[in-house]
Amino acid sequence: MSEVEAGPATARWQAELSGWAVPPEIAAGAPEPPWGFPVAQFAARAAAAVGRRTPSVERALAALPAGGSVLDVGCGAGAGTVPLLDRVRQATGVDRDPAMLAAYAEQVGARAGVRVAMLAGDWPGDADAAPVADVVVCHHLAYNVPDLAGLARALSAHARYRVVLELTGRHPMTALRPVWRALHGLDRPTGPSADDAVAVLAEAGIQPERTDWPAEGIGGFAEVDEAVHFVRRRLCLPASRDEEIRRLLADQLVHRGGMYSMGERMHCTLTWPGAAGS
Ligand SMILES: C[S@@+](CC[C@H](N)C(=O)[O-])C[C@H]1O[C@@H](n2cnc3c(N)ncnc32)[C@H](O)[C@@H]1O
């Protein structure tokens, strides 16, 4: 942990996240790395975000001056940045995956009059390399980061006016618990949750404003095959198991707003003031 001693909420957060580790005997048989994110899926997600008005977007727009700057941490292909572009002249995306940064440049750079910068790195460890921005957005990164308090403090330090952090109500992989049980006979964790994230932020001295909202039709998979491939990868299985996966997902996949999704679709927007000053 950085700066301060980890408290009980942070210890719980880290224990729950480490419960998601793939057992070594299962990982050993993985045909492809289990944890990567599919770039094409996130590019489609960013393209679909043009003109979207979610609570996260509204909160970010309310703090952005016209012609302002945004820093998007764990940017993927830019779904957090794209809906803000009417008010932005400088957009910086940070991601550990260079392929995602290329997709970010493509999605965000398509908008005339917006300067785009990309930084490859891991937050919070590489945060010092990033510029300060009017608004810092961080969507769907939290459950990847054991040092959530460190991440939150680094977000604050880079925001002039506001931080907007979006996450699902529960760890997104909880939707795959029945599939893990059926195909590996393994019970997977039930958390952590957005409540746990808020408790960690409190330990970091951050009291966010919170909005929970249903996210039907946002995110998910354009095709059932995409969902099958995603699950196959997460569960370290070969393509020969696709039909079994497809049968198991049949009960779980819901088609809403043109996308297939699984499990709980509540999202949570947490916002707090930036600490970078103006
Ligand atoms: C679930 S995706 C979310 C992407 C995007 N924010 C969105 O909402 O569509 C998480 C992204 O964070 C990146 N990532 C994961 N851990 C990271 C870390 N510690 N620092 C920087 N990027 C990270 C991944 O490469 C991936 O692109």
Side-chain angles (χ1 to χ4, degrees):
M1 285 290 301
S2 52
E3 287 180 43
V4 294
E5 196 81 357
T10 294
R12 190 169 59 245
W13 178 265
Q14 294 178 345
E16 294 215 52
L17 283 187
S18 54
W20 282 102
V22 176
E25 64 283 9
I26 294 178
E32 55 188 325
W35 291 118
F37 292 97
V39 176
Q41 186 190 345
F42 280 86
R45 176 180 159 86
V50 175
R52 183 169 281 158
R53 287 288 180 275
T54 62
S56 303
V57 173
E58 297 293 358
R59 301 294 290 136
L61 287 175
L64 260 174
S69 55
V70 65
L71 175 67
D72 189 340
V73 177
C75 61
T81 298
V82 162
L84 310 178
L85 290 178
D86 282 350
R87 292 190 76 79
V88 164
R89 286 207 50 205
Q90 173 70 50
T92 305
V94 181
D95 204 286
R96 61 161 56 147
D97 179 349
M100 284 292 190
L101 289 173
Y104 183 86
E106 202 170 304
Q107 296 290 330
V108 176
R111 178 65 70 96
V114 177
R115 287 190 304 269
V116 190
M118 289 97 70
L119 278 175
D122 257 46
W123 272 50
D126 296 324
D128 286 351
V132 165
D134 294 327
V135 169
V136 175
V137 300
C138 180
H139 291 191
H140 305 286
L141 174 64
Y143 293 119
N144 293 284
V145 179
D147 183 7
L148 180 60
L151 170 70
R153 282 191 296 265
L155 297 174
S156 303
H158 286 78
R160 224 170 261 126
Y161 302 121
R162 182 170 290 169
V163 176
V164 180
L165 185 149
E166 182 179 296
L167 72 173
T168 46
R170 252 175 211 292
H171 191 292
M173 290 302 113
T174 54
L176 296 188
R177 295 182 78 244
V179 195
W180 270 99
R181 170 124 283 286
L183 296 178
H184 285 302
L186 208 62
D187 278 327
R188 302 306 269 154
T190 54
S193 68
D195 291 348
D196 296 318
V198 169
V200 173
L201 295 190
E203 284 181 354
I206 295 169
Q207 312 292 339
E209 201 182 289
R210 172 174 180 170
T211 309
D212 292 272
W213 48 282
E216 270 85 18
I218 296 183
F221 305 92
E223 306 286 343
V224 173
D225 279 354
E226 230 176 51
V228 170
H229 181 197
F230 181 82
V231 170
R232 179 217 299 162
R233 181 174 183 176
R234 288 289 186 265
L235 269 72
C236 307
L237 293 171
S240 57
R241 306 290 296 274
D242 278 4
E243 281 318 307
E244 256 174 292
I245 296 172
R246 193 183 306 276
R247 272 198 302 280
L248 286 164
L249 292 186
D251 290 343
Q252 257 186 288
L253 281 176
V254 182
H255 196 225
R256 297 187 198 98
M259 301 295 278
Y260 292 91
S261 56
M262 308 179 237
E264 179 186 26
R265 298 305 295 161
M266 287 303 284
H267 281 188
C268 176
T269 299
L270 303 175
T271 68
W272 64 92
S278 42

